[in-house]
Amino acid sequence: MPETRPADPAAPAAPWEYTLYIPNDLRAVTVSRRTLRLILTMHGLIRLVDTAELIAAELVSNAVRHTKGPAALRVRWAAGVLRVGAWDADPEPPEPPGKWASLAEAEEGRGLALVRACADVWGWQPLARGANRGKYVWCDLVAA
């Protein structure tokens, strides 16, 4: 019988991607966080869970709070980089994040500043899903 060996933890994992389509409902934030935690745990990326959950919650929250249409959470792993992003049906670009120090006492507007602070890189792009035009706001976490 051939010997079965565990996968080499140093070997690069094959790329993968998940998309979770969500309704315009604030409960989608919790569903997205829990789904993301499960995905990352199942792929052995538990060290990225806390930061990725925080980022996903901010992106999904923005998508459902500031738009009226459907949204989606996309999670992609490739070449040691985790990309977390949210698509929404509003084609308008997101407000650029302010300086963290000036937002400390603000009641709103900290979301993208928090994303920028936690991510290695972030951005946005126009993106259509079927007949829906919108935007995709994303960030990358490098698994160093």
Side-chain angles (χ1 to χ4, degrees):
M1 187 148 139
E3 181 183 333
T4 324
R5 292 186 288 183
D8 178 6
W16 49 260
E17 182 174 314
Y18 293 85
T19 302
L20 175 64
Y21 295 96
I22 55 179
N24 191 289
D25 184 328
L26 282 175
R27 292 174 288 194
V29 176
T30 301
V31 171
S32 296
R33 284 180 72 139
R34 289 182 181 167
T35 301
L36 177 62
R37 176 173 284 277
L38 180 60
I39 291 167
L40 295 181
T41 300
M42 296 304 293
H43 283 283
L45 295 170
I46 194 72
R47 67 191 177 281
L48 297 176
V49 168
D50 292 336
T51 304
E53 268 190 313
L54 178 63
I55 288 169
E58 291 298 332
L59 296 178
V60 171
S61 177
N62 284 347
V64 298
R65 288 179 66 224
H66 301 295
T67 68
K68 295 191 184 322
L73 172 68
R74 182 186 294 170
V75 183
R76 182 181 78 195
W77 172 260
V81 177
L82 180 70
R83 175 163 287 182
V84 178
W87 172 84
D88 65 53
D90 181 2
E92 291 299 313
E95 289 290 323
K99 300 280 186 220
W100 188 250
S102 66
L103 295 170
E105 299 299 318
E107 289 187 29
E108 289 189 348
R110 292 183 300 240
L112 284 181
L114 186 60
V115 168
R116 181 178 65 188
C118 292
D120 293 297
V121 66
W122 80 278
W124 78 277
Q125 63 198 56
L127 186 66
R129 288 257 181 231
N132 296 317
R133 291 183 49 233
K135 68 180 167 296
Y136 179 60
V137 182
W138 55 268
C139 69
D140 290 346
L141 297 174
V142 177

